[in-house]
Amino acid sequence: MAGNRTSSQRIEPSFEGGRGRRDDGELRADARDRVAGGGKKSGGSRNSKPPARKARSRSGRRGSRGGGGITGLIRSLVYWCVVLGIWGAVGIGCLVLYYGARMPSATSWAIPDRPPNVKILSVNGEIIANRGATGGEALSLENMSPYIPQAVIAIEDRRFYSHFGVDPLGLARAMLTNITTGRLVQGGSTLTQQLAKNLFLSPERTLERKVQEVLLSIWLEQKYTKDQILAMYLNRVFFGSNAYGVEAASRRYFNKSARDVNLGEAALLAGLLKAPSRLSPARDPKAAEERAQVVLGTMREEGFITDAEIKTAMSQPPTKAKSFWSGAQYYAADMVMDQLPGMVGDISQDLIVDTTLDLDLEKKAEETLAASLDESGQKLNVSQAALVSIDGTGAIRALVGGRDYADSQFDRAVKAKRQPGSAFKPFVYAAAMEIGRTPMSIRNDGPVRIGNWTPENYDQKYRGEVSLATALANSLNTIAAQLVMEVGPRNVIKLARRLGIESEMQSNASIALGTSEVSLVELTSAYAPFMNGGFKATPHVIKRISTADGTVLYENTYDSPPRVLDPAIVSEMNRMMVGVIDHGTGKAARLKGWQAAGKSGTTQSFRDALFVGFTSNLTTGIWFGNDDGKSMKKVTGGGLPAKAWHDYMTAAHEGLSPSPIFGTTGVQPVFEDNQASPESIGNVISGGAIDEFPQAPVSDGQIANGQGVQQPADAANSGLLPPADVGETTGATRRTTLFDILTGG
């Protein structure tokens, strides 16, 4: 017993030295372990514990060393990435909820209407221009060249048909590219996102706008098909140079419809989307071409085209576009847009305007004026020209408002008002015909003084007694001045207004020489009654206005014009104006095989030169001059304008059968007062009453009638006194006799 206790006491210190003193709980636990072991006592059972604890300690040390290695680092990174990803998703979700809550309800979202387009068509149905905020009509994918959507998808959004509106892969690729290059090289926006931005959002770069863009993109993808989204994008996106949509861009840069665009042109259009203004071929053709080649390479990578097609596309000449829309037809398009609101009110829907313009004649007119200016412009100091060509109803068949629409959009044919010079004389002569004068009436070509005004002929020569037909053919100013005072300036103005002159005209004697300013279009249309037999020809370019679904909103009513001239007067005037071209000042306008009539006009100091004439088919007026009013180098209406008139009318009448001008066949000369010849004195003196006319202003100390006294009204109407001083060459006071009137002496 004692021995045993002694033995136990030796063991306990050894145990306590290893683990320290054990409490009662540990002892009870050991007892339970012994019972669980079958009740057998094992003297080594307690000695087996320390090795087990040592093993666990070594294992823990090995695990500790392993946790500090690469595996542990990867585990930590994955862990924190997951954590950060979760929190990032939560944050993004909160932002989406916040900015989404600031947007209107999705049930109220709708695609905004595309700005209305006005399609302007020629008389043959060809497109002259598209006008409106976009500058072009909308086309479906089926109607546009297939190369266009292929090129845009290849360069802008390769996974367009597979993503849900947002392309995470494309965004990641763009971010990586931009980071590695150190600059913004690629964008991560899809075509759907770009459309959403263009349709609904402002261009500002903010987080709110980007979140809204994503939400709208997803909504678009849910509501519309991919093809619909692509078509909306292509019809609204900006292509530079004020062109929105592929149709406007195609016509702007290639002067053709997007239906007819080839591969190289499609690549150029797609390349513009990166920087429309900077890459526009109207601004930098080289940069546009280089970008187009990048697009072609991308299209080949995507399998849209082959190497052979690329070779063909690259062999095409680079596109060169002018800085503005180019073509004379755009002057007519401007005229249409100016008149449209007055006919249909505010433009709130797509419209189709059928015009009277003939694009073939328009091209010939533009080429004629350009050739004339190129050949003689610098030599004769002429910088501008304009042309108007109309038919017998007043329908405008060709209109050129200036040398180059791309350089100047001001329409000199419609908006500019200039003195017509002697081109106004036919109205004076027609008014004289209405009070009984005839082409064979005789007047004396000599010095004339009307108040303070002493008109002279262009060559400063006098021919003595001449018929009115001869006077008009040679554009004698003295005879025109006498006629206007016989008829009265007010009656000349009344006739000019009947025929179509709407501009303000001064009621004075100098109106005989065309000193009141008019536009070329109204002057030309006022000649048309001579061509059509005496009916008014109201100038018009719009024939019909209809909506896209075919509803007619307006149709002109110029098919039944009023008569403004007696056919007999028309016949007399036409025979005289034929003489202007056959043997007068307009000989340069003669047409081979066609009878033509007209009149030249030249203003003071050669500032303006005009020729207005007609055949049985067309009436055409042409003007040459300078915008700043500077004098040309002795350019007269019978010179450069008459030659250009000849060139244009020759081209315009190709393939047509010649026909005579109204009233010029089977007509015998008619002498004044029904006399057989002008030999008697009664044929020389004007018969019948003379309309009253304003007295020319008289300054102090001057005489008005050569006798120092005012003539009474009854004397002025007696038919025995001339309407002006004829043959007076000095300011001396002397009596004018009947012999003086007849002899001009």
Side-chain angles (χ1 to χ4, degrees):
M1 293 290 294
N4 289 337
R5 287 194 298 268
T6 302
S7 175
S8 298
Q9 291 172 355
R10 283 199 299 268
I11 291 172
E12 284 178 3
S14 174
F15 178 76
E16 290 174 0
R19 289 195 53 194
R21 184 172 299 276
R22 300 167 66 191
D23 57 24
D24 293 338
E26 288 177 317
L27 292 176
R28 285 193 295 271
D30 286 344
R32 285 194 300 270
D33 290 342
R34 284 194 296 270
V35 172
K40 295 182 180 180
K41 294 182 180 179
S42 175
S45 63
R46 286 179 296 185
N47 293 335
S48 65
K49 295 291 182 180
R53 287 193 295 269
K54 289 179 182 179
R56 286 194 300 270
S57 177
R58 286 195 298 270
S59 175
R61 286 194 297 270
R62 285 195 301 270
S64 177
R65 286 194 299 270
I70 295 176
T71 304
L73 179 61
I74 293 174
R75 288 176 179 172
S76 297
L77 287 174
V78 171
Y79 170 78
W80 286 110
C81 284
V82 171
V83 172
L84 292 175
I86 293 173
W87 281 108
V90 172
I92 292 174
C94 292
L95 284 174
V96 169
L97 290 174
Y98 173 71
Y99 289 127
R102 293 165 59 93
M103 298 174 66
S105 172
T107 57
S108 65
W109 295 356
I111 298 294
D113 292 333
R114 190 172 185 267
N117 178 71
V118 179
K119 184 196 293 187
I120 305 172
L121 305 178
S122 73
V123 70
N124 296 322
E126 302 169 274
I127 294 180
I128 294 173
N130 283 285
R131 290 297 170 88
T134 58
E137 63 180 313
L139 297 180
S140 64
L141 291 184
E142 294 77 14
N143 286 333
M144 67 179 68
S145 167
Y147 293 122
I148 294 176
Q150 291 174 359
V152 171
I153 288 174
I155 197 65
E156 290 291 319
D157 192 355
R158 301 183 184 187
R159 278 178 290 278
F160 172 72
Y161 280 101
S162 61
H163 62 62
F164 57 91
V166 179
D167 185 8
L169 293 177
L171 182 61
R173 184 193 71 246
M175 292 177 60
L176 182 61
T177 302
N178 294 335
I179 291 172
T180 55
T181 58
R183 58 193 178 91
L184 187 62
V185 177
Q186 293 184 2
S189 295
T190 64
L191 292 180
T192 312
Q193 288 177 266
Q194 294 180 45
L195 176 63
K197 179 177 65 176
N198 293 338
L199 290 177
F200 303 105
L201 304 173
S202 65
E204 60 182 351
R205 295 175 176 241
T206 63
L207 181 60
E208 178 178 5
R209 189 197 63 77
K210 198 66 179 177
V211 171
Q212 293 174 346
E213 178 185 300
V214 170
L215 293 175
L216 289 166
S217 299
I218 296 173
W219 174 78
L220 284 170
E221 291 279 346
Q222 296 298 315
K223 191 171 182 64
Y224 298 96
T225 66
K226 288 288 188 178
D227 284 351
Q228 288 175 323
I229 292 172
L230 183 57
M232 282 191 286
Y233 175 81
L234 292 175
N235 283 306
R236 297 179 186 241
V237 68
F238 181 54
F239 284 95
S241 299
N242 292 323
Y244 291 83
V246 291
E247 178 70 4
S250 178
R251 292 192 176 277
R252 172 67 181 85
Y253 299 126
F254 315 128
N255 198 27
K256 65 168 67 171
S257 172
R259 299 173 176 87
D260 307 317
V261 164
N262 60 37
L263 174 58
E265 293 164 343
L268 187 146
L269 290 178
L272 296 179
L273 298 175
K274 179 180 180 181
S277 298
R278 179 173 60 84
L279 295 176
S280 168
R283 177 178 180 178
D284 193 341
K286 183 179 179 181
E289 186 64 23
E290 290 175 351
R291 178 64 177 170
Q293 292 182 9
V294 173
V295 175
L296 289 171
T298 306
M299 292 179 71
R300 179 178 56 185
E301 292 175 5
E302 294 300 308
F304 288 125
I305 57 175
T306 64
D307 290 339
E309 288 176 306
I310 285 186
K311 185 176 180 180
T312 301
M314 288 186 173
S315 65
Q316 297 167 354
T319 298
K320 294 181 180 179
K322 292 191 176 183
S323 58
F324 202 80
W325 301 88
S326 179
Q329 69 270 20
Y330 294 118
Y331 289 111
D334 288 347
M335 186 178 181
V336 167
M337 295 305 295
D338 289 342
Q339 296 178 0
L340 209 53
M343 296 177 176
V344 298
D346 294 335
I347 302 172
S348 59
Q349 59 182 321
D350 286 357
L351 297 178
I352 299 174
V353 180
D354 294 293
T355 72
T356 62
L357 205 71
D358 186 321
L359 282 182
D360 289 337
L361 293 180
E362 183 76 359
K363 184 177 181 180
K364 291 172 182 177
E366 183 178 21
E367 291 174 348
T368 297
L369 296 189
S372 298
L373 290 171
D374 290 342
E375 179 183 354
S376 306
Q378 186 173 4
K379 178 174 62 177
L380 299 177
N381 192 35
V382 187
S383 61
Q384 282 294 350
L387 179 149
V388 177
S389 189
I390 67 176
D391 67 12
T393 68
I396 296 175
R397 299 304 187 189
L399 185 144
V400 181
R403 180 171 191 164
D404 190 340
Y405 185 84
D407 293 336
S408 172
Q409 293 80 56
F410 179 69
D411 191 343
R412 295 154 188 83
V414 177
K415 297 182 179 179
K417 292 192 176 182
R418 303 255 183 173
Q419 292 182 351
S422 293
F424 191 83
K425 287 178 181 176
F427 309 122
V428 177
Y429 278 74
M433 299 296 109
E434 287 191 332
I435 65 169
R437 311 300 182 261
T438 75
M440 302 307 295
S441 297
I442 299 299
R443 292 294 180 274
N444 184 57
D445 177 24
V448 175
R449 180 169 62 85
I450 302 175
N452 297 328
W453 182 46
T454 55
E456 294 181 336
N457 294 325
Y458 169 73
D459 57 5
Q460 296 182 333
K461 296 179 181 179
Y462 301 103
R463 294 159 180 79
E465 292 183 357
V466 295
S467 67
L468 295 189
T470 300
L472 183 63
N474 293 280
S475 196
L476 301 181
N477 293 337
T478 61
I479 305 301
Q482 293 177 55
L483 289 179
V484 80
M485 299 310 291
E486 291 180 28
V487 176
R490 285 179 296 180
N491 285 337
V492 172
I493 291 174
K494 288 178 182 178
L495 182 138
R497 292 216 182 281
R498 287 207 319 264
L499 269 60
I501 301 294
E502 297 180 351
S503 297
E504 182 180 355
M505 292 176 280
Q506 300 298 320
S507 181
N508 53 40
S510 65
I511 196 174
L513 306 187
T515 55
S516 292
E517 296 180 341
V518 298
S519 69
L520 182 62
V521 69
E522 63 182 333
L523 179 66
T524 303
S525 65
Y527 269 66
F530 298 121
M531 177 188 77
N532 66 27
F535 295 95
K536 186 170 184 179
T538 303
H540 60 280
V541 70
I542 296 178
K543 183 178 180 181
R544 184 184 304 105
I545 304 171
S546 56
T547 62
D549 62 7
T551 303
V552 177
L553 303 179
Y554 167 86
E555 194 157 10
N556 73 46
T557 55
Y558 298 119
D559 293 337
S560 300
R563 178 174 288 281
V564 291
L565 277 179
D566 187 281
I569 304 297
V570 174
S571 175
E572 292 175 333
M573 288 302 305
N574 287 351
R575 285 187 288 123
M576 287 196 289
M577 284 192 281
V578 166
V580 172
I581 291 181
D582 284 349
H583 52 265
T585 59
K587 287 183 286 188
R590 289 177 184 167
L591 299 178
K592 186 177 180 179
W594 280 83
Q595 189 180 43
K599 186 68 186 76
S600 59
T602 310
T603 63
Q604 189 175 17
S605 302
F606 305 100
R607 291 190 179 94
D608 306 281
L610 306 94
F611 190 88
V612 185
F614 53 91
T615 64
S616 59
N617 183 48
L618 288 174
T619 299
T620 300
I622 294 181
W623 165 86
F624 281 88
N626 297 303
D627 287 338
D628 57 7
K630 287 184 178 179
S631 298
M632 299 175 285
K633 293 182 180 179
K634 295 187 176 181
V635 177
T636 65
L640 191 60
K643 183 179 182 300
W645 189 93
H646 162 272
D647 294 344
Y648 164 73
M649 293 292 273
T650 298
H653 288 75
E654 286 181 0
L656 301 179
S657 299
S659 57
I661 291 175
F662 177 88
T664 58
T665 58
V667 179
Q668 298 298 321
V670 177
F671 295 99
E672 201 167 334
D673 293 334
N674 296 320
Q675 299 296 322
S677 70
E679 299 296 329
S680 67
I681 195 169
N683 293 340
V684 180
I685 302 177
S686 301
I690 300 173
D691 186 56
E692 285 188 48
F693 52 87
Q695 181 68 33
V698 181
S699 58
D700 293 340
Q702 289 188 319
I703 57 174
N705 55 27
Q707 300 181 37
V709 295
Q710 184 80 19
Q711 290 289 337
D714 58 344
N717 291 329
S718 66
L720 299 178
L721 294 175
D725 291 339
V726 181
E728 191 71 35
T729 57
T730 68
T733 302
R734 75 176 182 86
R735 190 178 186 84
T736 302
T737 66
L738 184 59
F739 178 78
D740 294 330
I741 297 173
L742 299 179
T743 62

